[in-house]
Amino acid sequence: MKILTCPAHLQRLEGILRKSLPFALPVFGAVLNINRGNPGNYEVLVDKWPEFGAVLARPSGEVPVNDSYWNTQAAFYRDLGAYRALLETPGCLPWDAAFTLIGLQDGMTTVSQNLAGRKGVELDIVDYYCYWHPDPSTMPEPRPAPGVRVGSLSPSHVDLLNDTWPYGRNARSRRYLAEILGRFPQVCLQDGSGQPVAWVLTDHFGTGTHSYTLPEQRRRGLMQVALTVAAQRAHARGFPTFGHTALGNRPMQQLQEVLGHQRLPGVCSYILHNPSLDRDGP
């Protein structure tokens, strides 16, 4: 196992992962962020260098044992055996903590199930469709509805974000949302009084996340505008445009298809390890 710290090596890894898109998307996005100031304080592990078979992007330094929001890791492999060996390496994964492992390759779930079974670790697995847009420059120019303008969220909106996030409404989710709000790009549509009516956040992996429109503002095309602005801004920064959608959320799936996003084969698995530890502290 090797942690890549050399800027030249990380730049080289970025180029290699770009050739492996779209299945390397989450790790690729993490490496892009690392190479552009590392706002999320992440690091990259490989089984060997430079001819790696597996790569893992994870938080750097100490992480809470009870917080799988912050302790989310992304993996990509070119060899499933190398990936399994990397995860088995002591110090690679915090097996005594709650953590989430994500990826777009089927073998990841099988490896986690096998290793967790041997270690007596409980898993909670949720699958999503992954949509990505290969060329956001082809998207039509966004046209906000009358009385709506493109603005930005502020730290004062974190409670609104936490209350409207299906995976939120607890202290850990609030901390997490406050962190990504302060560290990563986001798009917000505001009404005439400056209040948020729709938004799209991004995370450590460059994923579009927590896309939401207030119920009373729906059916006005606001999410279409927010997603388009977010995609164009990501493209301008050299980032890919992608996100994960619940399997049953057909309206969001249809919207992304209208905008030209492509659904990847298979699913993106969010594999939560030690879910019983994933709880708010005293």
Side-chain angles (χ1 to χ4, degrees), residues 68-69 71-73 95 97-103 108-110 112-114 116-117 120-128 166-167 172 268-279:
S68 69
Y69 294 100
N71 194 2
T72 298
Q73 318 194 18
W95 290 102
F99 68 94
T100 302
L101 188 57
I102 67 173
M108 288 184 53
T109 298
T110 301
S112 281
Q113 289 172 329
N114 291 342
V121 170
E122 184 184 0
L123 299 180
D124 186 4
I125 303 173
V126 181
D127 293 331
Y128 298 87
Y167 313 104
R172 289 171 295 108
C268 177
S269 295
Y270 275 64
I271 310 169
L272 171 57
H273 299 66
N274 293 310
S276 63
L277 298 178
D278 192 36
R279 59 181 184 271

Side-chain angles (χ1 to χ4, degrees), residues 164-207:
T164 54
W165 196 30
Y167 313 104
R169 305 185 183 96
N170 61 70
R172 289 171 295 108
S173 61
R174 188 185 188 281
R175 288 193 298 269
Y176 173 75
L177 290 167
E179 289 284 353
I180 65 171
L181 179 61
R183 299 186 187 205
F184 300 104
Q186 41 84 10
V187 170
C188 174
L189 301 185
Q190 300 173 334
D191 62 17
S193 64
Q195 295 303 307
V197 293
W199 56 83
V200 178
L201 307 183
T202 55
D203 63 13
H204 309 76
F205 311 106
T207 318

